[in-house]
Every structure is written in C-alpha cells, then in structure tokens.
Amino acid sequence: MKLRKLFTPESVELNLSSESKDEVLKELIQLLGLDEKSEAILFKTLKRRENLGSTGIGKGIAIPHCRSLVVNELRLAYGRKPEGMDFQAIDDEPVHNLFLIVAPPLEVSNQYLPVLGKIAQFAKDPEIPAKLEEIQKPEEFLALLEERAP
Amino acid sequence: MNSSTSPPDTMHPQLMLLMELQDLRSQYRELEQDEGAAPVEEEHFHIDPAEAREQLQAKVSELEERLDPQVRARYERISPQRDRVVVPVINGVCYGCFVSIATATVGDQDVHQELQSCENCGSFIYVVS
C-alpha cells in the first residue's frame, strides 16, 4: 500500500495553530472530517495511547495512533507545526511533524501496522525533516510521499 | 470541535463508555499478540508491552465500574464470548455477525441517544456514519 494513497490534500495541515498537546491532537482529528461525537471518542482513545508513552519518536516527529470504532477504514492525517511544540517526545526535543493514524478495530486488509511501520521508517529518514520543512502546499507533501515512500 | 472533552449530548453516556472500553480492549488485545502492535510499539515508540497492558487493564476495570448494573450484566455476558462488545454497523450491516439490522433500529438520526443492540448477536451497536 502506497502511503500517498492514504492521504488527501484535505487531511494535510501545514500550519497547525494549537499550542498544547491536547489541542494539537484535536486539530489533527479534525482533519479526518468525523462528526463531533466520534471526534470526542477518538480524542480519548488517542490520549490513552499517549498515556502509555509519548508517540513523539524523536527528531521532531510524532505519530499519534490507535484503533477506534469511530472509523470504518484506515484514516491518516498530517500536520506541521513549523515553530515546534512540546509533545514529551522521547528525545525531549520539540515536535514539528505529526502523522495521525487511526484504524478500525478489525480490518480486512490489515494495513494498520504495516502503515504505522512505514510512516515511522519514512519519518526517520534523515533527509525527511528538512524536506517537510520546505513544503508550501499539501500537494507537495503528497508528492514527497510518492517519491520517498513508494 | 469543542475544546471540552465532555461527551456530546447526542450520545447515550453508557454507549460512549462502552465505546471507550471497546477501544481500550482493542489496544490491549493487540499488545498481546506477538505479530500485533507489540513489536512495532517496542521498536519505534519504546513501549514495554507488558507494562502497557497492565495500565490498559487498570483503565478497563475503572471504566467497567462506571457501567450501569443492567448494562454491565449484559457486557459481562457478551465479553467472554466475543472480542468486541460494541460493534460498528456500516451500511445497515452489523459487523459482529454480518446480519442486516432493521432500518427502524439504525435509520433514526438520533440513533445513538439510545443504547441499542443487534437482535441477532446481542452486541451493542454503534452506527458509523
């Protein structure tokens, strides 16, 4: 599965405005276009996952993720916080790039874990943070995925 | 989205609670499996799966205490038999047993104001819009 196919321009926000971890999670959730009650449940589930340990994997990247009943297919969103924010990342550095991954409890195609691993690999490529920083439009983010995560 | 985390008033509070429980149980189950999330969580996120399962179980127990007695009785009846106590209904089909649900049950705009279950398999249902 190509990562590019799991994102749309609408699921990409290059200037996240929130300042706190909770608010940025909510802003990312909004990119999925769910209804209000689903957003509230998903927020709680993501928070509980964060309570197990931050999904800030270092080098300015965070990958909040969970399975939740509120989606019926794998959903992804990307948000960028150019000035960085505290996400209690494992290297204690500010987070600039956030990839949200939400999967239904059961998937026929079992894409969730492979996609989670693929996003983590993509984000750990040492050249990626600088490339993400240069992006001006959501379409450029999609093109970067096409190029670097074929 | 509201900045508050309180449940939207259009959903039955017990359904909200059951869905939270279901999501926690999904996380727990996946961390139990060697080929599930455990290796990914360990490698990329430095999570100790055993410790994480312990935390999740504590939260599950805490939430179970908040279920109304009748709901909890049904929950406890269903949960040993099925991985999922709450199942999504997608396009009118219960994803617990893959049987169509009566339109009268799921067609209402305010379907989540009541706690409903599948007449065939007994699972609590959540209609995915």
Side-chain angles (χ1 to χ4, degrees), chain B residues 3 5 13-14 19-20 32 34 38 57 59 72 74 80 86 90 92-95 97 99 104 106 108 112 121-122:
Chain B
S3 57
T5 57
Q14 290 286 294
M19 291 181 69
E20 289 174 39
E32 271 187 316
D34 290 341
Q57 185 52 54
K59 193 70 200 173
R72 183 159 183 182
R74 204 157 98 206
V86 187
I90 303 169
V93 174
C94 166
Y95 270 57
C97 61
V99 166
V106 297
D108 193 326
H112 297 124
C121 69

Side-chain angles (χ1 to χ4, degrees), chain B residues 89 92-93 99-108 111 116-119 125:
Chain B
V89 171
V93 174
V99 166
S100 291
I101 303 267
T103 311
T105 307
V106 297
D108 193 326
V111 62
Q116 305 207 54
S117 55
C118 171
E119 285 182 7
I125 56 173

Side-chain angles (χ1 to χ4, degrees), chain A residues 51-67:
Chain A
N51 289 341
L52 299 178
S54 175
T55 58
I57 59 171
K59 297 189 168 39
I61 306 282
I63 313 177
H65 59 276
C66 68
R67 284 194 188 272

Side-chain angles (χ1 to χ4, degrees), chain A residues 23 26 29-30 35-41 43-45 48-49 51-55 57 63 65-72 90 105-106 112-113 116-117 120-121 124, chain B residues 1-5 8 11 16 19-20 22-24 26-27 30-31 35-37 40-41 43-47 52 55-56 59 63 84 86-88 90 112 126 128-129:
Chain A
E23 293 301 318
K26 288 176 184 173
I29 289 169
Q30 281 187 311
D35 58 48
E36 193 184 339
K37 61 183 180 298
S38 299
E39 287 184 341
I41 290 168
F43 174 72
K44 284 189 174 184
T45 305
R48 295 212 169 102
R49 168 58 191 82
N51 289 341
L52 299 178
S54 175
T55 58
I57 59 171
I63 313 177
H65 59 276
C66 68
R67 284 194 188 272
S68 178
L69 268 171
V70 302
V71 296
N72 59 9
I90 55 177
L106 282 183
Y112 173 54
L113 293 174
L116 181 53
Q121 289 300 340
K124 282 179 174 173
Chain B
M1 185 175 181
N2 294 334
S3 57
S4 160
T5 57
M11 180 179 278
M16 187 95 176
M19 291 181 69
E20 289 174 39
Q22 184 62 68
D23 282 353
L24 285 171
S26 291
Q27 284 188 54
E30 198 150 68
L31 285 167
E35 291 175 7
V40 179
E41 293 285 6
E43 181 188 345
H44 297 294
F45 301 97
H46 303 183
I47 293 286
Q55 285 184 50
L56 288 170
K59 193 70 200 173
L63 293 189
R84 293 186 296 165
V86 187
V87 296
I90 303 169
H112 297 124
Y126 171 72
V128 179
S129 50

Side-chain angles (χ1 to χ4, degrees), chain A:
Chain A
M1 166 57 69
K2 286 186 168 186
L3 291 184
R4 157 70 184 86
K5 294 194 171 176
L6 298 168
F7 290 89
T8 62
E10 293 72 34
S11 65
V12 175
E13 172 55 60
L14 299 176
N15 285 297
L16 292 169
S17 58
S18 308
E19 297 297 334
S20 70
K21 187 171 180 176
D22 284 2
E23 293 301 318
V24 92
L25 284 174
K26 288 176 184 173
E27 204 175 344
L28 286 169
I29 289 169
Q30 281 187 311
L31 296 174
L32 301 181
L34 303 172
D35 58 48
E36 193 184 339
K37 61 183 180 298
S38 299
E39 287 184 341
I41 290 168
L42 181 54
F43 174 72
K44 284 189 174 184
T45 305
L46 285 169
K47 276 282 287 175
R48 295 212 169 102
R49 168 58 191 82
E50 290 298 324
N51 289 341
L52 299 178
S54 175
T55 58
I57 59 171
K59 297 189 168 39
I61 306 282
I63 313 177
H65 59 276
C66 68
R67 284 194 188 272
S68 178
L69 268 171
V70 302
V71 296
N72 59 9
E73 60 182 1
L74 186 63
R75 302 291 306 277
L76 279 81
Y78 166 73
R80 186 177 66 183
K81 181 82 180 162
E83 62 273 38
M85 64 170 299
D86 180 20
F87 207 80
Q88 293 97 46
I90 55 177
D91 60 359
D92 286 329
E93 293 295 322
V95 161
H96 298 267
N97 298 293
L98 299 104
F99 298 82
L100 173 66
I101 308 177
V102 185
L106 282 183
E107 298 168 278
V108 178
S109 52
N110 272 327
Q111 292 177 326
Y112 173 54
L113 293 174
V115 164
L116 181 53
K118 209 166 176 177
I119 291 271
Q121 289 300 340
F122 168 78
K124 282 179 174 173
D125 179 332
E127 293 178 6
I128 292 300
K131 288 189 176 295
L132 288 171
E133 202 178 330
E134 289 168 7
I135 285 170
Q136 302 289 321
K137 293 185 294 190
E139 288 76 11
E140 293 174 25
F141 170 75
L142 302 180
L144 179 64
L145 287 176
E146 187 82 51
E147 180 197 331
R148 303 302 288 255

